[in-house]
Amino acid sequence: MEYPKYNEYLDSTIDWLGRVPNHWIVKKIKWDSAVLRGASPRPIDDPAFFDDNGKYAWVRIADVTASGKHLEKTTQRLSKLGASLSVKIKPENIFLSIAGSVGKPCISKIDCCIHDGFVYFPYLKINHNFLYYIFASGEPYKGLGKFGTQLNLNTETVGSISIAIPSETEQESIIRFLDKETTRINNLIEKKLNLIHTLNENRIAIISHAVTKGLNEIVHLKSSEVDWLENVPEHWKEKALKYTCTLNDKALAETTDPEYVINYVDIGSIDKTKGIIKKEQYLFDEAPSRARRIVQDGDILVSTVRTYLRAIAPVINPEENLIVSTGFAVVRPRKIDSDYLSFLLRSKYFVEKVVSLSVGVSYPAINASVLARIKIPIPPTEEQKEITQYLKKETESIDKIVGLTEKHIDKLKEYKTAIISAAVTGKIKVSE
């Protein structure tokens, strides 16, 4: 869609703003309001600072990360004492994260308190919603790092950001336009995310059925000795995982050359549908102490800590020196098809069994020896290969649709950022 432009522009001399309408005022945020930091009661885990019935909600980084434009709820509330040692934010006021999800703005809809991982603007004259959209564009942070992760923000850097300010009437028109447009885009994104969720659920269902019932719908079933299954095809065998695989065969010695370069995979590097999604390179001497397990092609990684994350992934054509965290069990198939076992271990029923055997609340974990004793269903070798071939075809088809949908979402996000940036810098004219 083509939007009209203003009649006259001038050079703002600010990189991120570029040319702006000649009647807009360019100035630093700190000239409009002081930029101040939140505060935290210390020590932060003292129960005296919290009260479920307290007047003020306590804002954590996770609350802001989970919210959209508006903060409407938090998971904790402060006591009267706790609130007196923090910074209070009234409804309809904006604050900005400078830690965690760095650079994320939020407008409170509730009485709340913010800690020193946020900054706020106590004397702000411009419309809070207009400033929200300036920050939401991500553009003012150019030169300060990557939006959301590597920004270096503090009261001085935020206050020194130059912005272009239209009249109050224009601000209101731009806000109405962006509220409507971003809501429309967010709704489209939400629909596509729901589609991806449905596709991934279907993917898991297809895998789970094939590796526990096979492909023959009229096969005779028998009661299973596997306690996480009711029935399996009567000609299938059932054995403990340790009789078909080895676990944690090899590890780097403590005497490894300190200059040895490793490509490291941790629990957070695994996506439960995409497998290994990132690696970090270290010298052995500088790597985390848990970077020890050696893997090879055909291995399957099963997370034994924080098992609720369901971090299970096959190792396919690994580069040299791929090392994984001791938070994984490295399952190496010996008497079972590697691809079949990979699908089996990622099935809904096996994952739920691993989670159920895990011990601990915050960081549930399972011992590798307990994992090794879990019984699994084992079809004949040829049937394993047939199931694998079928599942590769089915999952590749689903993954292709998911990939295309993710690209559409990225395009929508790019468009949303672009339209916000264009509106708050006057590149398009949306005033009535």
Side-chain angles (χ1 to χ4, degrees), residues 5-26 139 142 163-165 421-429:
K5 299 184 183 300
Y6 288 88
N7 293 328
E8 295 184 51
Y9 288 82
L10 56 80
D11 186 1
S12 70
T13 74
I14 306 300
D15 287 345
W16 86 270
L17 287 173
R19 292 173 59 79
V20 298
N22 65 346
H23 63 288
W24 288 25
I25 299 172
V26 177
E139 294 294 304
K142 282 185 174 178
I163 60 176
I165 305 174
S421 178
V424 298
T425 60
K427 303 299 183 294
I428 59 175
K429 184 178 181 180

Side-chain angles (χ1 to χ4, degrees), residues 352-369:
E352 288 176 347
K353 180 62 179 176
V354 170
V355 172
S356 73
L357 292 174
S358 300
V359 177
V361 178
S362 299
Y363 295 94
I366 185 171
N367 189 282
S369 61

Side-chain angles (χ1 to χ4, degrees), residues 108-151:
S108 183
K109 285 291 185 181
I110 55 177
D111 288 313
C112 64
C113 286
I114 57 171
H115 58 66
D116 52 11
F118 300 101
V119 296
Y120 67 108
F121 313 86
Y123 313 116
L124 197 64
K125 302 178 187 67
I126 65 172
N127 192 302
H128 291 236
N129 290 273
F130 186 74
L131 184 60
Y132 166 85
Y133 279 119
I134 288 174
F135 288 134
S137 74
E139 294 294 304
Y141 306 125
K142 282 185 174 178
L144 299 178
K146 185 179 178 183
F147 181 45
T149 54
Q150 299 170 2
L151 287 174

Side-chain angles (χ1 to χ4, degrees), residues 76-90:
Q76 292 179 299
R77 304 190 75 81
L78 292 178
S79 65
K80 188 173 181 180
L81 174 62
S84 72
L85 298 171
S86 185
V87 170
K88 300 177 180 67
I89 298 293
K90 295 180 179 179

